[in-house]
Amino acid sequence: MSMDEHIETRAIHAGQEPDEETGALMTPIYANSTYEQDGPGDHRGYEYSRTGNPTRTDLEANLAALENGSYGRAFSSGMGAINTVCNLLDAGDHVVTGDDVYGGTHRIFTQVYEKYDLEFTFVDTTDHAAVADAMQANTELLWVETPTNPLMRVNDIEALAALAHEHDALCAVDNTFATPYLQRPLEFGADIVSHSLTKYLGGHSDVVGGALITDDEALDADIGFYQNSVGATPSPFDCFLVLRGTKTLPVRMDRHCENARALAEWLEGHASVDRVYYPGLESHPTHEIATTQMDDFGGMLSFDLDATLEEASTVVSETEVFTLAESLGGVESLIEQPAAMTHAAIPPEEREAIGLSDGLIRASVGIEHVDDLIADLDAAFTAAGVH
C-alpha cells in the first residue's frame, strides 16, 4: 500500500492482504503461542508470539501507514507503550513534559520512574520559552500531548520537536486524542508517536491496547527489543479488534468532530458554563495552531461549570445518553469529572495550578444524534440546579 493513497484507503487496506491460501479477506486471528521451525533456529518469520504474531504484524503495518510512518509496534495498553518509551532512558536522564498530561502518564513518570533516578519537569508546553528553560544538559526526552487531556491545549509539534532536537533529545507525541486521521506528528518532526489503541483507533470500547510508531529504524529496533523483553504485547484477538476499528476510523471521526463542534458551540452560549475547552472554537487560546496542524478538531471537549463540586458531580451522574465512565473514543458518548476520576492521581494543588478545577467536566462526544446529546446535557443541568 503506497503512502500516496488517501488515509481512508490506507485505513482499510494497509498491512492487510487476502490470505494467500484461502483468500480470506480479513486478517485471521492467529491464536498461536509458538510456531514450527524447519530446523533449529530456522523459522518462517515467527517463533514465539510475544516476539511476533502475524495478526499483530498486520496491525503494526496498518498503524504505521496511518501515521505515514515506517515502523509500528503494538502493546497491550497505552501505558505499556509509554512504559516502553521510558525504557529507552537511562538512570540520570531528564524528561520535560506537559503540566496537564493524562493522569496515568503523570503517575508512571512520578510514582514509577522517579525512583529509578529519572527526573521529570512539568511545564506548560504551549509556552516555548518555559520548555526551553526546562531543558537541561541531561534532557533526553520531550514528551508532548496534543490536544492535551483534559484542557485540550494544542501544542506546536514542529516547534517543540525542533527545540528537542536542539538539545539532542527525542520528541515523543501522544496522538491519542487527535488520531492520525486528524494529525500526524511524524510529519512535523516528532521522533515517536504514541497511541492508546483503546480509544478512537479501536473505537468501540471493547479492547485495550497501545502503539508506538517511528520513522527511525534504529529507534524502532530499540523499541522492539523492549517490546519483546518486557512482554507488554497484545493478544491476537485484541489486534484483530483494533484492525476492525481502524477500517472505520475516518467515517467515525467525521461524525465525532461534527457533534463535538456543535456541542461546544451550544455550551459556549450557556449561561451556567464559565469556559469551554475545544480547539475548534475561535475562543480557544490555541485555536490558531490547531488550524495549521490538525485537519479537524476532534471529538473531545471539556467545560467549567459555574457550579459547586457537588453540582458538577450531579451533572455527570444525571445524564442518560452520555454514560458516566472513564476512557474515551468509542462510538458512545462518555462524560466524567477529571478531578475525581481520570486525573485523581495528580495532587490537588497541582491540578488547581494548571486550571484543572473540581468543576471541570470532560466529554467524549460520540456519534449519536447531536440534538439528543444537547438535550441530555440540558436535562442534567436542570437536575443539578445549574440553569
Side-chain angles (χ1 to χ4, degrees):
M1 177 61 60
S2 168
M3 290 298 181
D4 293 333
E5 302 285 353
H6 291 85
I7 192 169
E8 293 87 348
T9 303
R10 282 182 276 132
I12 295 172
H13 295 288
Q16 299 163 84
E17 298 290 342
D19 182 71
E20 290 185 4
E21 185 173 341
T22 66
L25 188 60
M26 297 297 102
T27 298
I29 302 170
Y30 286 90
N32 301 284
S33 60
T34 191
Y35 305 82
E36 179 187 33
Q37 299 191 18
D38 297 324
D42 181 16
H43 56 78
R44 303 166 207 174
Y46 299 94
E47 50 190 321
Y48 187 63
S49 274
R50 171 171 42 77
T51 307
N53 176 280
T55 314
R56 194 173 91 212
T57 296
D58 281 9
L59 171 61
E60 291 173 335
N62 182 259
L63 296 171
L66 290 177
E67 284 286 1
N68 276 347
S70 301
Y71 309 96
R73 300 283 178 171
F75 297 85
S76 56
S77 69
M79 292 311 304
I82 294 171
N83 179 75
T84 300
V85 175
C86 292
N87 291 158
L88 300 173
L89 303 171
D90 295 322
D93 285 350
H94 175 248
V95 177
V96 176
T97 187
D99 58 7
D100 66 335
V101 291
Y102 166 55
T105 305
H106 187 282
R107 180 176 56 232
I108 197 172
F109 285 173
T110 60
Q111 298 184 39
V112 177
Y113 276 97
E114 277 190 348
K115 69 180 181 182
Y116 295 112
D117 198 26
L118 290 181
E119 181 186 358
F120 298 88
T121 298
F122 296 85
V123 299
D124 178 358
T125 41
T126 65
D127 182 345
H128 298 165
V131 175
D133 288 344
M135 301 295 280
Q136 302 173 179
N138 61 334
T139 303
E140 296 294 335
L141 174 67
L142 174 58
W143 179 271
V144 180
E145 282 184 16
T146 186
T148 64
N149 179 9
L151 298 179
M152 310 302 155
R153 296 172 180 162
V154 176
N155 283 293
D156 186 331
I157 299 170
E158 187 170 26
L160 291 172
L163 207 162
H165 297 157
E166 286 175 15
H167 291 80
D168 295 323
L170 294 173
C171 178
V173 176
D174 187 331
N175 200 32
T176 297
F177 272 25
T179 82
Y181 182 62
L182 305 181
Q183 175 178 270
R184 291 160 298 280
L186 295 178
E187 296 176 359
F188 295 93
D191 301 291
I192 302 171
V193 179
S194 172
H195 281 284
S196 171
L197 302 177
T198 314
K199 313 306 192 297
Y200 290 105
L201 288 165
H204 294 79
S205 302
D206 55 8
V207 64
V208 174
L212 297 174
I213 298 100
T214 184
D215 267 334
D216 186 311
E217 184 176 7
L219 187 54
D220 173 68
D222 288 341
I223 292 169
F225 170 80
Y226 288 109
Q227 179 195 44
N228 181 51
S229 299
V230 176
T233 50
S235 73
F237 183 64
D238 290 347
C239 294
F240 169 83
L241 288 176
V242 178
L243 276 170
R244 184 199 62 178
T246 60
K247 287 177 171 59
T248 60
L249 176 69
V251 292
R252 286 187 287 107
M253 291 309 299
D254 283 342
R255 176 61 69 86
H256 283 299
C257 294
E258 178 185 342
N259 281 356
R261 182 164 45 249
L263 191 62
E265 291 171 353
W266 176 79
L267 285 165
E268 194 169 45
H270 197 287
S272 295
V273 176
D274 281 343
R275 187 171 183 181
V276 182
Y277 303 90
Y278 184 66
L281 295 175
E282 291 186 6
S283 59
H284 194 278
T286 53
H287 173 71
E288 185 175 346
I289 184 61
T291 62
T292 64
Q293 187 170 278
M294 302 177 71
D295 296 324
D296 207 331
F297 305 107
M300 296 299 300
L301 62 83
S302 296
F303 57 96
D304 272 316
L305 274 179
D306 180 15
T308 65
L309 173 65
E310 292 73 19
E311 288 170 338
S313 296
T314 301
V315 169
V316 300
S317 300
E318 288 292 330
T319 56
E320 294 183 359
V321 180
F322 281 90
T323 300
L324 176 59
E326 296 188 6
S327 199
L328 57 105
V331 294
E332 62 288 309
S333 292
L334 303 179
I335 196 165
E336 64 110 1
Q337 195 171 14
M341 297 170 68
T342 52
H343 291 67
I346 301 176
E349 62 276 7
E350 291 188 31
R351 292 200 303 266
E352 292 171 9
I354 63 172
L356 202 162
S357 70
D358 287 344
L360 182 73
I361 292 174
R362 189 190 77 176
S364 172
V365 183
I367 65 172
E368 303 94 341
H369 196 289
V370 70
D371 290 349
D372 295 328
L373 297 176
I374 291 173
D376 189 43
L377 272 185
D378 197 35
F381 287 172
T382 300
V386 296
H387 259 293

